[in-house]
Amino acid sequence: MATRTRRSQRRTEALSRERIVEAAVELLDAAGEGGLTFRALTERLATGPGAIYWHVENKDELLGAATETVVAAALAVEPARTPDSPTGAPDSPAEAPDSPRDEIRAVALGLFEAIDEHPWLATQLATHLSRSPWGSVAPRIFESLGRRVRALGVPEGSWFLVTSALMHYILGAAGQNATNARAGGGGLDRDEFLDATATAWEELDPDDYAFTRAVAYQMRGHDDREQFLAGIDLVLTGIAATHPPDA
Amino acid sequence: MATRTRRSQRRTEALSRERIVEAAVELLDAAGEGGLTFRALTERLATGPGAIYWHVENKDELLGAATETVVAAALAVEPARTPDSPTGAPDSPAEAPDSPRDEIRAVALGLFEAIDEHPWLATQLATHLSRSPWGSVAPRIFESLGRRVRALGVPEGSWFLVTSALMHYILGAAGQNATNARAGGGGLDRDEFLDATATAWEELDPDDYAFTRAVAYQMRGHDDREQFLAGIDLVLTGIAATHPPDA
DNA sequence: ACCTGAACACCGTTCAAGT
DNA sequence: ACCTGAACACCGTTCAAGT
């Protein structure tokens, strides 16, 4: 029976931290946070739990490593181009030197899309962003946004506040959206899910939820990405108004 | 040995969904997400798992009920008063009719403080806000903010966008802060934790993290609540600028 | 209607043993 | 140095049985 070992992967390459993290990301993408177990991991890697523990401290560290990998990839794109065509994929070489504002939009959108593709990221980013010893993912995002905030001309005394506010909006919005992405993935397609949610809103108590009922129809057709970027613009405008460049 | 049943609670009152949720909140507060187990719950309530399952569908539903309870309490305060004295606890009767802007600040601060007191809330709010069947907690927050957004004079077409953006900032910021609160709770006090984080930032690579290193000192002394409210003001200013009242 | 508690399947983690 | 796999303690959940 030793012959019938599942070789879900070719067995040529040796085990490595990298391969383990890669498999972890695949499991998380396929089945969410609950999909990442050491049993599933050992089966996929055709090995035993002990082997994994030799390369990785524990499950928490593994989750952290998976998060770092995905976030690093999202930030590495360093995209450009004005988001005029919201559908356009960034693959042609970028030449035009973008404004800091456009770059912030692009970084934000990169994170948004990463969370959209890997909904399990939301939990990680929302609450486990700082760990001991300090994970590198929070500073990475902070740095990427902060450089553009500086380029925007925000006075130095406001750098921390402004960059934090931007990051909070991005993580909050992307997190909410991940919930939708997840729910959408489970059977219903996106439009059906939106419609079901809008309908649920419309059936709330008229006294307690007058406002929510009144905007339910706006939920029905809305485009997540567009809304997200509109929110970014709102925050950027707020930044310009409350922390204008030094005179 | 039947005599030595732990009665962590007086045994007079019968089991009820309410008592179970209450105990769940206590366990979550005391030991975080990992502290809520059915064993701990049965011990605290001096009963068996079957009894709990009679009142509650499963662990997920229990977590949801705990979240709803705490969020409802936070929103019920419907506080007032201008936040001039950031330390002041709201206990004297409020009379002055506050501006929508102040009310939004107050609602936001209420949520911020709820997450600060119950750090496990962050995960719940960040990613499980919508469930099937639709939980009432998202609409509750949305409604509370939305009514004030309407009172602000934001044009109807922008209600959904603006209220969502506000909610995203609040949840994102409060979530990040919960991480700090949690970390602070684990031995170090708040100032020590901030200091340790700032020091860690200052030791990052000078090329890759030039900006983060440059603002590390701003992290050291900052007041979470103050920063949070400054962010709210930033967003409110952005709202006023990008979605001004109809002419 | 409400509760008991043994049992089940599954999980993260450890560790003596192998190569 | 790297891997194996049995074993341990713990978890959510079920269910026949009691009152």
Side-chain angles (χ1 to χ4, degrees), chain A residues 94-161:
Chain A
E95 292 304 337
D98 280 330
S99 70
R101 216 180 147 107
D102 284 340
E103 286 189 14
I104 287 174
R105 271 200 203 92
V107 171
L109 197 56
L111 286 168
F112 181 88
E113 283 173 343
I115 296 179
D116 196 54
E117 281 171 48
H118 313 280
W120 50 273
L121 258 188
T123 318
Q124 292 306 111
L125 293 181
T127 66
H128 301 299
L129 209 54
S130 64
R131 323 177 155 249
S132 43
W134 245 72
S136 76
V137 36
R140 248 200 184 62
I141 297 175
F142 192 82
E143 177 78 20
S144 184
L145 293 171
R147 289 182 179 216
R148 276 86 181 191
V149 163
R150 190 177 49 194
L152 232 33
V154 169
E156 174 167 359
S158 306
W159 285 354
F160 180 69
L161 164 63

Side-chain angles (χ1 to χ4, degrees), chain B residues 11 15 47-51 54-55:
Chain B
R11 213 29 184 111
L15 208 52
T47 183
W54 199 89
H55 293 277

Side-chain angles (χ1 to χ4, degrees), chain A residues 67-230:
Chain A
T67 303
E68 279 189 37
T69 303
V70 174
V71 169
L75 291 178
V77 180
E78 290 300 319
R81 219 146 317 110
T82 52
D84 280 340
S85 58
T87 346
D91 31 23
S92 57
E95 292 304 337
D98 280 330
S99 70
R101 216 180 147 107
D102 284 340
E103 286 189 14
I104 287 174
R105 271 200 203 92
V107 171
L109 197 56
L111 286 168
F112 181 88
E113 283 173 343
I115 296 179
D116 196 54
E117 281 171 48
H118 313 280
W120 50 273
L121 258 188
T123 318
Q124 292 306 111
L125 293 181
T127 66
H128 301 299
L129 209 54
S130 64
R131 323 177 155 249
S132 43
W134 245 72
S136 76
V137 36
R140 248 200 184 62
I141 297 175
F142 192 82
E143 177 78 20
S144 184
L145 293 171
R147 289 182 179 216
R148 276 86 181 191
V149 163
R150 190 177 49 194
L152 232 33
V154 169
E156 174 167 359
S158 306
W159 285 354
F160 180 69
L161 164 63
V162 164
T163 307
S164 297
L166 205 44
M167 183 159 136
H168 292 156
Y169 170 77
I170 292 171
L171 295 180
Q176 279 319 105
N177 209 69
T179 311
N180 299 353
R182 231 185 313 244
L188 309 170
D189 80 358
R190 165 123 206 99
D191 280 344
E192 287 171 330
F193 173 72
L194 245 51
D195 195 70
T197 305
T199 303
W201 279 17
E202 279 159 353
E203 283 163 357
L204 289 167
D205 182 276
D207 287 332
D208 292 346
Y209 295 98
F211 176 84
T212 303
R213 285 168 55 104
V215 296
Y217 77 94
Q218 298 186 17
M219 152 128 247
R220 229 174 274 272
H222 91 276
D223 179 277
D224 286 330
R225 210 166 307 252
E226 209 177 286
Q227 281 258 130
F228 173 73
L229 286 174

